Amino acid sequence: MTHAYQEMHLSNAQALLGDAFDYAINACSISGNDFVKLFSVSSVSKRIENGEPAYLAGKSGIEVVEDILVETTGKAPTAKPQVTFSRSREYWIGWAIAYYQWFSGRKFSDIFKALSFEDLLQMYAPLHEADISKFADIADAKVRAYFTDTNLKRIRTTYGCTQAELAKRSGVSLRSIQMYEQHNKDINKASAETVLSLAKVLGCTMEDLLEK
C-alpha cells in the first residue's frame, strides 16, 4: 500500500491532530461533528494529507485549529488549552485518524464520510489501548464498505458522462470501462496511457482514478 508521506513524519502528524482535536473540542467547545466538517473542508487537511513539513514539523495543534477556524469561520480561537495529565478521547481520535490517513492515503474528507465522529467515539473504549494497526484495519473495512463504487464510476457519474460517452471520448474500450467499474479488472494495473486518457476526459488526475 502506498502511504500518504514518509513514515518519519507520522508521529508528528498523529500528535498534531491529537492536540488539535483535543483543543478544538475540549477547550474551544466546538462539537466533534462541527470540527470534523471544518477540518475536512479546510486547506489544512490537504496540507497534512500531503505531509507538508510546514505543518507536520512547524505547527502546534493550537496553531492548526487557529488556521482552520480563521479560514473557515473568519474567527480565531481565544480559549486557553486545558491542562490534563492523560490523553483525552478526542486526542486519541485525532491521533488515530492521522495514522489511518497515512496508512490508507485517502483524503480526510472521504474518511469522515464513512466514519462519523460518533463512530470514532464508540471505537475509543475497545481500541484505544490496542495496537493502532487494529484500528486501521477496522477503519479500512468501514471505509471500503462505504465506498462500494470504484473511483472511476463515482467520478464519471459526478461528471455526468455515460460509459459509452467516456469510451468514445477517451478511446478506452467500453468493455474495459465496464470491467474497471465492476471490480472485475484492476485499474491500478492499467497502462498509464489508459488512465491518462480517462482522466483527461473526466477532468481529474490519474491518481484520482486509482483505488487505494
Side-chain angles (χ1 to χ4, degrees):
M1 180 176 290
T2 301
H3 298 308
Y5 45 82
Q6 292 184 335
E7 188 173 2
M8 62 185 290
H9 300 302
L10 177 58
S11 61
N12 286 345
Q14 289 181 271
L16 184 70
L17 274 193
D19 285 337
F21 270 68
D22 181 67
Y23 173 67
I25 297 168
N26 293 322
C28 299
S29 299
I30 302 172
S31 75
N33 285 326
D34 286 344
F35 183 65
V36 162
K37 291 175 184 176
L38 296 175
F39 171 63
S40 296
V41 301
S42 72
S43 63
V44 174
S45 65
K46 283 71 176 177
R47 290 170 179 167
I48 295 176
E49 287 169 0
N50 295 332
E52 289 189 15
Y55 271 80
L56 299 192
K59 295 274 186 177
S60 68
I62 294 174
E63 290 172 322
V64 163
V65 174
E66 180 176 359
D67 288 351
I68 293 169
L69 294 184
V70 169
E71 179 182 334
T72 58
T73 71
K75 298 180 180 179
T78 58
K80 294 183 178 180
Q82 299 178 347
V83 178
T84 57
F85 298 99
S86 61
R87 299 300 188 186
S88 66
R89 296 179 305 169
E90 291 76 16
Y91 178 95
W92 178 83
I93 288 173
W95 180 85
I97 283 296
Y99 180 89
Y100 177 65
Q101 191 280 320
W102 169 82
F103 168 83
S104 66
R106 293 181 181 273
K107 297 179 180 178
F108 283 111
S109 57
D110 286 341
I111 294 171
F112 286 120
K113 287 176 184 175
L115 290 169
S116 69
F117 186 75
E118 285 77 11
D119 291 334
L120 294 165
L121 280 177
Q122 292 176 6
M123 296 169 75
Y124 172 77
L127 294 175
H128 76 282
E129 292 184 347
D131 189 279
I132 188 61
S133 62
K134 185 171 184 180
F135 167 81
D137 289 342
I138 294 173
D140 202 48
K142 290 179 180 291
V143 172
R144 288 179 181 275
Y146 181 87
F147 291 104
T148 54
D149 287 342
T150 61
N151 291 333
L152 175 60
K153 182 176 181 179
R154 177 174 53 80
I155 293 172
R156 177 183 61 76
T157 54
T158 300
Y159 186 80
C161 183
T162 66
Q163 290 178 333
E165 289 171 339
L166 179 58
K168 183 178 180 179
R169 293 175 60 187
S170 67
V172 178
S173 72
L174 175 60
R175 181 57 179 158
S176 289
I177 291 172
Q178 291 172 334
M179 292 185 73
Y180 289 138
E181 292 192 358
Q182 295 167 3
H183 297 279
N184 291 325
K185 197 172 182 180
D186 187 356
I187 196 169
N188 290 9
K189 296 180 180 178
S191 68
E193 181 181 3
T194 294
V195 180
L196 179 60
S197 296
L198 293 169
K200 283 183 176 180
V201 174
L202 297 174
C204 63
T205 67
M206 293 173 65
E207 289 76 13
D208 289 336
L209 295 177
L210 301 180
E211 298 297 323
K212 304 298 183 183

